[in-house]
Amino acid sequence: MNFSQGLYEVQEKKRWMNMEKLLVTGAGGQLGTELTEALVDLYGGESVIATDINPDVESLFERCAFQPLDVMDSKALNKIIKSKKVTQVYHLAAILSATGEKKPLLAWQLNMDSLLHILEIAKANKLNKIYWPSSIAVFGPNSPKKNTPQYCVKEPQTVYGISKQAGERWCEYYFNKYGVDVRSLRYPGLIGYQSLPGGGTTDYAVEIYHKALKKEPFTCFLKADTFLPMMYMPDAIRATIELMEAPREKISIRSSYNLAGLSISPDQVYQSILPHFPEFKIDYKPDFRQEIANGWPQSIDDRYAQEDWGWVPAFDLEKMTAEMLTHLPHFLKKTQGSES
Ligand code: SER
């Protein structure tokens, strides 16, 4: 390809991207905060509308429009999608595993009904693309623990996992029956410095860095040797964008792709922090989340993501820890006072 051809293609892509209008639900959450920023970088602020049930998160979105939105309100959802001529939805609003076990019926209703609203709207309005996150929580105690394959026994034991598994079936159904271009990843536990997780079983792996930086001891709610699949947030954001940018014909899985980054235990995360903070102390008081973690895989086989759209993670534990400890102080400074 010569230079002017390349330039032409870049301009074409930009022109095409400018015609897209993206709606993000749950934009104030752990993933939403960072994914919305990445989408603004890619598409421009005028093409992105961040929404969240919590109006207080508006200040997070200085570079794009923000609108409070309850995803259970299908009329409001429909209205915003039509009036703003939305072409793609990133539907991130959900109740995670630990909170879901405390409010099982609410978790089921919110996670399922909101997805069905979006899929129906996508079908009726012929939206270009839908992104919906699934999770390692779709697996259960009868799934292989190590290198858990894409296709195997699932039998999730949490309401969150059941809702994600059912959601995957619905996504595939809407693609097969109605051609809705819905794409999804089974995220491992996500670890990032720009936002706090809420109500998940993998949240310890973010809290531990906060405690180390505050020079406070950390009490971990999982046992020291509990291996779980995890991923550094920049890898998760890049995976999401690579999946969504991939040509339609490359996407062979319309339920949700296995996605692998790290397979790590609380003790390993702790050991990776020690060279930076030799005085840092940890103790272990497993609670109900241990049982949830026991039912999940330890590591993931993501060969389809590798083969279909070229997925390669960039971060190992040491690299992630160094980055977390470098960047987190800035985040803490920014949010000082707003953290409990
Ligand atoms: N991080 C999620 C949770 O712990 C799993 O997808 O619930």
Side-chain angles (χ1 to χ4, degrees):
M1 190 194 308
N2 65 32
F3 177 73
S4 60
Q5 241 175 341
L7 196 65
Y8 174 77
E9 277 185 19
V10 169
Q11 280 167 346
E12 264 302 280
K13 191 159 188 199
K14 273 199 168 153
R15 197 177 60 78
W16 169 79
M17 281 179 145
N18 283 340
M19 288 159 61
E20 297 284 339
K21 192 78 160 194
L22 281 57
L23 183 91
V24 185
T25 73
Q30 187 199 11
L31 174 64
T33 314
E34 301 201 33
L35 185 55
T36 306
E37 282 295 301
L39 293 172
V40 168
D41 287 341
L42 198 62
Y43 286 86
E46 64 292 340
S47 300
V48 179
I49 307 164
T51 70
D52 199 282
I53 193 166
N54 177 7
D56 298 341
V57 299
E58 177 161 13
S59 59
L60 294 174
F61 305 103
E62 285 171 355
R63 300 196 297 144
C64 66
F66 174 83
Q67 199 162 310
L69 178 75
D70 176 357
V71 285
M72 296 299 277
D73 185 347
S74 60
K75 277 196 186 138
L77 202 53
N78 211 2
K79 192 169 160 206
I80 184 170
I81 286 174
K82 278 196 166 141
S83 64
K84 303 286 181 194
K85 299 192 168 44
V86 168
T87 59
Q88 297 187 27
V89 179
Y90 286 71
H91 177 37
L92 312 181
I95 290 181
L96 294 189
S97 60
T99 308
E101 290 312 283
K102 292 186 181 150
K103 299 175 185 167
L105 293 185
L106 179 68
W108 174 256
Q109 272 164 0
L110 182 103
N111 295 358
M112 282 320 337
D113 290 359
S114 63
L115 174 63
L116 285 170
H117 292 158
I118 303 267
L119 290 172
E120 269 299 295
I121 292 172
K123 172 187 149 198
N125 295 280
K126 301 205 178 347
L127 299 190
N128 288 349
K129 277 181 213 169
I130 303 296
Y131 180 73
W132 176 77
S134 186
S135 160
I136 51 162
V138 295
F139 298 107
N142 296 324
S143 313
K145 282 255 168 280
K146 292 193 176 151
N147 282 324
T148 308
Q150 176 75 33
Y151 300 107
C152 61
V153 172
K154 303 276 189 311
E155 301 183 354
Q157 300 293 300
T158 61
V159 174
Y160 175 67
I162 299 170
S163 73
K164 289 293 178 189
Q165 193 194 20
E168 288 189 5
R169 298 288 87 227
W170 278 116
C171 288
E172 194 181 279
Y173 184 88
Y174 270 75
F175 174 76
N176 286 339
K177 287 265 170 178
Y178 310 118
V180 174
D181 188 351
V182 53
R183 304 179 182 199
S184 176
L185 296 171
R186 288 176 184 153
Y187 289 122
L190 299 180
I191 303 171
Y193 59 85
Q194 289 189 38
S195 51
L196 288 165
T201 302
T202 56
D203 295 6
Y204 88 83
V206 179
E207 286 164 21
I208 191 170
Y209 291 102
H210 285 245
K211 288 290 186 188
L213 275 161
K214 288 180 185 166
K215 303 204 174 4
E216 290 172 9
F218 177 60
T219 301
C220 186
F221 57 75
L222 296 182
K223 287 187 201 154
D225 59 352
T226 312
F227 279 83
L228 284 172
M230 298 273 186
M231 182 172 278
Y232 189 39
M233 190 64 89
D235 267 347
I237 300 294
R238 185 168 55 80
T240 310
I241 288 178
E242 285 178 6
L243 171 74
M244 291 302 277
E245 294 277 298
R248 191 180 165 112
E249 63 278 6
K250 293 267 184 206
I251 310 298
S252 69
I253 293 175
R254 293 296 178 162
S255 51
S256 189
Y257 278 94
N258 271 12
L259 185 73
L262 312 165
S263 166
I264 48 176
S265 67
D267 181 56
Q268 286 182 329
V269 181
Y270 174 67
Q271 297 298 337
S272 77
I273 295 172
L274 274 187
H276 304 267
F277 290 94
E279 308 289 312
F280 185 41
K281 295 271 179 299
I282 191 165
D283 67 343
Y284 296 93
K285 288 207 178 88
D287 66 15
F288 73 101
R289 289 169 280 193
Q290 183 67 49
E291 204 183 319
I292 299 179
N294 290 347
W296 287 355
Q298 296 180 352
S299 58
I300 296 289
D301 176 345
D302 66 355
R303 71 184 63 186
Y304 291 94
Q306 296 173 35
E307 284 163 16
D308 286 3
W309 41 276
W311 170 242
V312 185
F315 286 88
D316 61 18
L317 176 58
E318 275 63 41
K319 211 166 147 191
M320 174 178 77
T321 293
E323 278 222 2
M324 284 293 286
L325 295 175
T326 308
H327 296 296
L328 195 50
H330 304 292
F331 169 76
L332 288 176
K333 219 182 247 172
K334 239 177 31 191
T335 56
Q336 236 164 21
S338 64
E339 253 188 291
S340 56

